Amino acid sequence: MPTYRSGAGDPARTLQLLWRQPAEGPRRGPRQGRSVDAIVGAAIELADAEGLDALTMRRVAQAIRVAPMTLYTYVPGKAELLDLMLDRLYADMPRPDRSRKSWRARVTAVARDNRDLFTAHPWAAEVATVRPPLGPGLMAKYEYELRAFDDTDLDDVERDASLTYLLDFVRAAARSTAEARAVQRDSAQSEEQWWAANGPLLARVFDESKYPTAVRVGSAAGAAHGAAYDPEHAYEFGLRRVLDGLGVLVDAARARNAETPRD
């Protein structure tokens, strides 16, 4: 699976487009008959349907019925367009009031919201966001998700690191889920069908006395999940462990705060 990254385009032009600021200097060429929003919407539809490899400026131009060179008068290239697409997804994420819920419930909901985003738009999980452009969608998302850690006594650095830790887990889980689905789709076989076809051969070549632990544990897991890998179980199990780990950090922060003398 190829890796794409945000922030790979012209930073100044990307920020102008994200915040819908006019480009500096006089604009050349005919009057524009499309909008950046329409271009971004068409690009998202294309990526949803066919993936990021299919996302080219030519294909997007065809989708909105303009000449490819005309598209460049709106967006400089695919790198900037990808940043606009991600920011649109972030802007459209739900942000209900969860202030009355526990921090664990709020964090669980943040994880679910991001997983839903990757389920609806699998290509988004392929984009590395180590240097994300600070668009309005991302800033609103970051502000909202940080509040999931209110009342935890975490300091600002811990809060940021905790959110990053959570989102990294969700992204990794989403990519594993997408890979599992791609394997099943490309092989045209379900897990049960694959094991039924290959089980007899594996039974002949596996020496259970040589790999006793692997055979015992693998058999138990396979029987429990009906497959060698169950994305849903992996996500739920992993999220519980993430919450457990954050719980230790929150307990330490609260203990630290309780020990701090107050004026």
Side-chain angles (χ1 to χ4, degrees):
M1 183 180 293
T3 299
Y4 301 85
R5 66 182 181 89
S6 62
D10 178 350
R13 186 67 181 121
T14 298
L15 286 172
Q16 287 174 337
L17 286 166
L18 285 168
W19 292 92
R20 300 301 191 268
Q21 297 296 303
E24 297 179 359
R27 189 185 66 80
R28 298 179 180 179
R31 182 176 181 179
Q32 294 179 324
R34 300 291 188 275
S35 68
V36 171
D37 288 336
I39 293 168
V40 173
I44 290 173
E45 289 183 5
L46 178 58
D48 287 348
E50 302 183 41
L52 289 181
D53 284 349
L55 182 70
T56 66
M57 297 296 279
R58 179 174 296 276
R59 291 288 305 278
V60 176
Q62 290 173 347
I64 63 170
R65 298 181 180 180
V66 300
M69 291 307 299
T70 300
L71 187 60
Y72 288 98
T73 67
Y74 294 86
V75 182
K78 181 175 176 177
E80 292 85 358
L81 180 57
L82 186 56
D83 288 334
L84 292 169
M85 293 163 62
L86 285 174
D87 206 68
R88 167 75 70 81
L89 299 189
Y90 298 155
D92 291 345
M93 292 179 71
R95 296 185 179 89
D97 181 8
R98 295 168 175 150
S99 58
R100 295 181 181 275
K101 297 182 178 295
S102 68
W103 74 264
R104 283 180 177 263
R106 295 194 300 264
V107 170
T108 297
V110 167
R112 183 179 62 247
D113 291 344
N114 280 271
R115 193 185 189 209
D116 289 346
L117 181 146
F118 292 135
T119 299
H121 311 281
W123 56 267
E126 299 179 36
V127 184
T129 55
V130 176
R131 186 179 291 176
L134 303 181
L138 174 63
M139 293 305 298
K141 178 179 187 290
Y142 185 52
E143 173 74 19
Y144 177 77
E145 291 176 348
L146 284 173
R147 291 178 180 173
F149 296 94
D150 284 351
D151 306 321
T152 60
D153 286 350
L154 297 178
D155 63 33
D156 288 347
V157 175
E158 290 171 332
R159 186 183 292 218
D160 175 79
S162 295
L163 178 59
T164 300
Y165 178 55
L166 174 73
L167 297 184
D168 282 350
F169 161 73
V170 176
R171 180 185 299 275
R175 294 190 66 164
S176 295
T177 298
E179 290 165 0
R181 289 174 177 168
V183 167
Q184 182 169 326
R185 181 184 64 248
D186 295 343
S187 67
Q189 287 182 315
S190 66
E191 284 289 323
E192 293 82 0
Q193 291 170 329
W194 190 93
W195 282 104
N198 296 279
L201 173 61
L202 294 173
R204 289 197 302 270
V205 299
F206 271 3
D207 183 352
E208 294 189 17
S209 64
K210 190 174 183 180
Y211 310 108
T213 306
V215 170
R216 187 187 74 249
V217 174
S219 297
H225 308 315
Y229 176 72
D230 179 359
E232 189 66 27
H233 177 268
Y235 172 78
E236 294 295 342
F237 179 87
L239 179 59
R240 287 195 296 271
R241 302 295 78 77
V242 169
L243 292 171
D244 290 344
L246 293 176
V248 173
L249 184 65
V250 168
D251 289 345
R254 287 173 172 170
R256 179 183 65 216
N257 187 57
E259 294 173 357
T260 302
R262 298 182 180 182
D263 295 333

